[in-house]
């Protein structure tokens, strides 16, 4: 197998881990909300509006907030990985950065749902954004390099 295929497979694992994180947060949300509903059975007014539903689930809102957050910056990650593979520019650096991104997001999710400490959560979030930015910049540089080679030797 070519190195590009091995590196593409290397990018698959952190992407699978990121998807697993999304499902883990969703499962946490589901379990917390189900337990809340058992402890505090909702009445008709609890779901009369979006505001009422948010107020009802406020005691267990962090998993829901984190699930929504996972579909913000990580969308750029999920868009980038197929582009890297499609244009055949995977690298060891991109694989390492992908793992760092997923690790930072996992730490962010744990803090967001668990201890809820704002400053460490912010640093994990910021680190994930910086790593993701580095991935995109690296991709842009790689694509420019490939385009220049094609123009030169095309």
């Amino acid at each position: 197998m070519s190195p590009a295929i091995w590196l593409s497979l290397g990018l698959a694992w952190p992407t699978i881990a990121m998807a697993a994180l999304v499902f883990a947060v969703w499962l946490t949300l589901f379990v917390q909300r189900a337990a809340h509903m058992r402890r505090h059975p909702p009445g008709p007014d609890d779901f009369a509006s979006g505001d009422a539903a948010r107020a009802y689930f406020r005691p267990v809102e962090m998993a829901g907030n984190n699930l929504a957050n996972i579909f913000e910056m990580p969308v750029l990650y999920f868009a980038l990985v197929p582009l890297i593979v499609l244009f055949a520019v995977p690298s060891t650096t991109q694989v390492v950065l992908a793992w760092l991104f997923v690790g930072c997001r996992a730490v962010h999710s744990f803090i967001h749902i668990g201890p809820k400490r704002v400053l460490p959560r912010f640093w994990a979030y910021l680190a994930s954004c910086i790593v993701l930015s580095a991935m995109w910049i690296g991709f842009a540089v790689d694509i420019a390099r490939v385009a220049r080679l094609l123009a030169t030797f095309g």
Side-chain angles (χ1 to χ4, degrees):
M1 254 191 248
S2 75
I5 292 173
W6 278 111
L7 289 169
S8 294
L9 290 173
L11 277 174
W13 290 112
T15 305
I16 291 167
M18 187 66 208
L21 176 62
V22 171
F23 284 113
V25 170
W26 172 82
L27 184 60
T28 301
L29 169 67
F30 181 83
V31 168
Q32 288 180 353
R33 284 188 175 180
H36 180 72
M37 292 174 79
R38 276 193 307 280
R39 286 189 309 271
H40 308 283
D45 292 341
D46 289 321
F47 293 100
S49 68
D51 288 339
R54 280 186 290 281
Y56 174 76
F57 284 119
R58 189 160 291 123
V60 291
E61 72 182 334
M62 287 310 200
N65 291 346
N66 189 256
L67 187 63
N69 188 267
I70 283 179
F71 288 100
E72 292 170 357
M73 291 301 283
V75 167
L76 292 173
Y77 171 81
F78 284 122
L80 178 60
V81 169
L83 289 172
I84 292 170
V85 173
L86 177 69
F87 288 101
V89 291
S91 67
T92 304
T93 301
Q94 289 288 30
V95 173
V96 169
L97 288 171
W99 277 116
L100 285 171
F101 174 75
V102 173
C104 289
R105 293 307 305 199
V107 168
H108 175 266
S109 291
F110 173 77
I111 295 169
H112 198 174
I113 297 168
K116 301 170 186 68
R117 296 186 57 216
V118 175
L119 195 55
R121 187 179 94 201
F122 167 76
W123 288 116
Y125 173 79
L126 182 61
S128 74
C129 291
I130 291 169
V131 170
L132 185 58
S133 297
M135 289 182 73
W136 273 97
I137 291 167
F139 174 67
V141 168
D142 289 342
I143 289 299
R145 185 179 315 120
V146 169
R148 189 177 64 228
L149 285 172
L150 288 175
T152 303
F153 299 108

